[in-house]
């Protein structure tokens, strides 16, 4: 439900969710008053406390009223940013356009943002502690998002001086130690600090020295480190874990090695020794994938041309799908000057915006579509990506916007890529996926479905055939 909270509706907007939580007679609060205990604590539990608790990555804990109260104003300001850089929680999908259902989406509804604002503007009252939801039980610090990994592979230790220049290159390889072939179902990267002399810089990246890294897994008899088995996710600061589509596990063969292909090391202000750990979850022995996950990375590199002191700059890139595809991942990847990306699907005369997302280079987010809304795009669909760049003093991620900047591999250079992933489908598989989609959503012939241009066609395979 989308509820517009303009002034006339404000009272209704605020009362509706509050009334839903209220226990008649259990609370002495004035009716309609927004309180921490009843209204705000459940929001913090769902969307904030995984990070805002002791020993996690955020600068302050938001578990209790006493902890949250001093931050009230800042909480209101950050949550009101919605999809703009700096927003909390860090999730940048624009809610007024495109597909809206994603896996593990922590973002706030318009109603929740209004509740927070109303709570802060009315003096951030605590309310009746009896209204508090039971406290959450957290994963211990050091636990993995993917659950306990079946295998953890550690990189060699690197040492980065407090003020070292940036460095990038390969740091060797580590045998996986597998005695039989296994299919990987999920992967997560984690930087482990082995020693650190001093507090370092106060930025998000200030905790880390591995700014990013690409890996691959190579077979036992292979000598060329670039001859990896498929494309694996890239490690980046602030990135969440990756779960591969259940029908498309990725193969790691017996005797294979993980190559630390291209690591970018970046000083954090304190002399640091650290390593990268990769946690892998496997499918059971005997599992066979029925599909292959394809990485369709597309975008611009060397030809990016970003003027100095200009807040509103754009670039476009195109990619035409050679085969029908079910897209599972939208992953805007830019660098410091990037602030927004939109992805459109163009099929014949139909242009659909699949998604637009803000971008904040402190938070590299992977957006995994929920299964029954993942784009189903016929071969011949052209994907158009539009990037928005701000190289001016109003972008706090840019160290010195007086400089021209352009494409390149280093973090001080720029990128404009969608690290998209999905599965290529035969016409029959594609037709099956579409009929499942039609059933699940009651789609009728003639309906327009964002992300599925042929779902509303009566004879999609004929249309597809005519495309060849
Ligand atoms: C994925 C982890 C994560 C989640 C989820 C998250 N935060 Fe944060 N938050 C951080 C980190 C890290 C910082 C410090 C860096 C920054 O400002 O981006 C931060 C900064 C903030 C700040 C600014 C603090 C200051 O110094 O002024 C506020 C306010 C805040 N978060 C509130 C929230 C609220 C409210 C939520 C939920 C609606 C939330 N955060 C969800 C990690 C998170």
């Amino acid at each position: 439900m989308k509820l517009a909270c303009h002034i006339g509706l404000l009272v209704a907007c605020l009362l509706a969710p509050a009334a839903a939580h209220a226990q008649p007679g259990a609370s002495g609060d004035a009716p309609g008053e927004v309180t921490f205990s009843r209204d705000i604590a459940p929001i913090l539990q769902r969307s904030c406390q995984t990070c805002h608790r002791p020993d996690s990555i955020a600068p302050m804990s938001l578990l209790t009223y006493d902890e949250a109260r001093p931050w009230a104003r800042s909480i209101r300001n950050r949550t009101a940013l919605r999809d703009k850089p700096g927003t909390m929680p860090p999730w940048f999908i624009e809610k007024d356009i495109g597909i809206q259902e994603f896996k593990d989406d922590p973002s706030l509804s318009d109603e929740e943002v209004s509740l927070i604002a109303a709570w802060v503007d009315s003096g951030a009252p605590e309310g009746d502690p009896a209204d508090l939801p039971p406290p959450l039980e957290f994963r211990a610090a050091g636990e993995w998002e993917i659950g306990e990994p079946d295998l953890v592979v550690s990189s060699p230790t690197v040492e980065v001086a407090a003020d070292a220049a940036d460095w990038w290159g390969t740091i060797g390889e580590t045998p996986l130690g597998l005695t039989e072939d296994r299919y990987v179902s999920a992967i997560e990267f984690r930087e482990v600090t082995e020693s650190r002399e001093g507090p370092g810089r106060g930025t998000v990246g200030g905790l880390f020295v591995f700014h990013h890294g690409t890996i691959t897994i190579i077979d036992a008899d292979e000598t060329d480190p670039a001859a990896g088995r498929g494309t694996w996710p890239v490690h980046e600061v602030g990135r969440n874990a990756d779960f591969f589509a259940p029908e498309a596990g990725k193969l790691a063969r017996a005797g294979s090695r993980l190559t630390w292909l291209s690591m970018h090391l970046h000083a954090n202000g304190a002399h640091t020794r650290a390593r990268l750990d990769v946690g892998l979850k496997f499918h059971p022995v005997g599992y066979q994938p029925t599909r292959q996950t394809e990485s369709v990375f597309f975008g611009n590199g060397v030809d990016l041309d970003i003027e100095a002191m200009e807040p509103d700059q754009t670039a476009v890139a195109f990619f035409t799908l050679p085969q029908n595809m079910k897209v599972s991942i939208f992953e805007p990847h830019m660098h410091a000057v990037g602030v927004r990306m939109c992805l459109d699907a163009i099929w014949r005369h139909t242009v659909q915006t699949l998604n637009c997302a803000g971008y904040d280079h402190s938070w590299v987010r992977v957006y995994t579509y929920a299964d029954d809304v993942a784009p189903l795009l016929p071969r011949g669909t052209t994907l158009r990506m539009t990037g928005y760049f701000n190289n001016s003093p109003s972008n706090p991620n840019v160290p010195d916007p007086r400089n021209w900047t352009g494409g390149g591999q280093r973090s001080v250079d720029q990128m404009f890529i969608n690290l998209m992933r999905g599965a290529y489908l035969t016409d029959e598989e594609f037709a099956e996926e579409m009929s499942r989609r039609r059933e699940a959503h009651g789609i009728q012939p003639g309906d327009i479905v964002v992300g599925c241009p042929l779902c509303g066609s009566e004879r999609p395979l004929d249309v597809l055939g005519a495309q060849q």
Side-chain angles (χ1 to χ4, degrees), residues 31-48:
E33 189 185 25
V34 181
T35 70
F36 178 85
S37 305
R38 188 179 55 202
D39 306 300
I40 304 303
I43 301 176
L44 300 185
Q45 284 195 343
R46 185 177 72 83
S47 297
C48 318

Side-chain angles (χ1 to χ4, degrees), residues 64-346:
T64 64
Y65 178 72
D66 288 342
E67 286 170 341
R69 178 68 189 84
W71 296 97
R73 205 155 283 277
S74 176
I75 289 173
R76 183 191 59 186
N77 296 344
R78 292 293 199 109
T79 53
L81 290 171
R82 305 307 270 139
D83 45 54
K84 300 284 177 300
T87 193
M88 285 288 146
W91 180 270
F92 306 94
I93 292 290
E94 296 180 13
K95 290 188 181 276
D96 54 356
I97 192 157
I99 297 166
Q100 292 300 320
E101 287 82 35
F102 294 90
K103 293 182 182 158
D104 299 323
D105 176 353
S107 66
L108 303 183
S109 65
D110 290 346
E111 291 85 342
E112 289 170 322
V113 173
S114 306
L115 268 180
I116 290 174
W119 172 64
V120 176
D121 292 343
S122 63
E126 177 173 16
D128 184 348
D131 291 340
L132 281 172
L136 297 182
E137 286 183 24
F138 293 105
R139 295 184 310 229
E143 275 184 39
W144 299 73
E145 267 177 59
I146 55 171
E148 196 50 37
D150 296 313
L151 180 65
V152 177
V153 189
S154 297
S155 77
T157 298
V158 299
E159 192 158 346
V160 181
D163 60 352
D166 287 11
W167 180 91
W168 69 103
T170 172
I171 57 170
E173 53 185 42
T174 310
L176 293 186
L178 291 179
T179 52
E180 55 191 339
D181 293 359
R182 295 302 296 267
Y183 283 91
V184 177
S185 62
I187 182 169
E188 184 174 344
F189 293 86
R190 171 174 296 177
E191 177 171 334
V192 180
T193 304
E194 294 178 353
S195 68
R196 182 184 167 96
E197 293 161 19
R201 300 186 187 121
T203 55
V204 177
L207 291 173
F208 306 110
V209 294
F210 282 89
H211 182 275
H212 77 249
T214 57
I215 60 156
T216 190
I217 290 180
I218 56 176
D219 290 350
D221 51 3
E222 186 55 70
T223 47
D224 176 6
R229 183 163 275 289
T231 316
W232 293 82
V234 178
H235 167 68
E236 289 164 272
V237 169
R239 192 172 189 285
N240 34 349
D242 270 79
F243 298 85
F244 300 127
E247 65 275 13
K250 285 179 78 66
L251 180 59
R253 282 201 191 281
S256 56
R257 292 114 61 203
L258 191 153
T259 304
W260 310 94
L261 210 53
S262 170
M263 299 288 133
H264 179 171
L265 304 181
H266 183 74
N268 63 12
H271 192 106
T272 301
R273 283 165 50 85
R275 65 172 197 272
L276 207 55
D277 280 358
V278 175
L280 299 172
K281 282 287 246 198
F282 294 128
H283 283 290
V285 175
Y287 162 95
Q288 281 299 327
T290 52
R291 286 197 188 147
Q292 177 104 6
T293 298
E294 307 286 340
S295 299
V296 178
F297 294 4
F298 74 101
N300 287 40
V302 286
D303 54 345
L304 268 185
D305 178 9
I306 307 290
E307 298 297 324
M309 300 305 279
E310 266 296 331
D312 297 313
Q313 306 185 55
T314 56
V316 285
F318 297 90
F319 178 78
T320 300
L321 289 176
Q323 182 52 282
N324 312 312
M325 180 173 249
K326 181 173 183 182
V327 180
S328 52
I329 302 257
F330 171 47
E331 185 178 344
H333 183 86
M334 306 201 266
H335 284 180
V337 299
V339 290
R340 183 180 188 230
M341 184 186 283
C342 290
L343 183 65
D344 305 318
I346 305 169

Side-chain angles (χ1 to χ4, degrees), residues 390-428:
N390 176 353
N391 190 21
S392 83
S394 63
N395 182 348
N397 287 333
V398 175
D400 188 346
R402 293 172 304 172
N403 292 312
W404 174 92
T405 177
Q409 291 289 328
R410 306 171 306 169
S411 289
V412 293
D413 303 322
Q414 306 307 324
M415 287 195 180
F416 169 43
I417 313 174
N418 178 9
L419 304 180
M420 190 172 93
R421 265 176 282 149
Y424 282 137
L425 306 178
T426 64
D427 288 359
E428 288 66 34

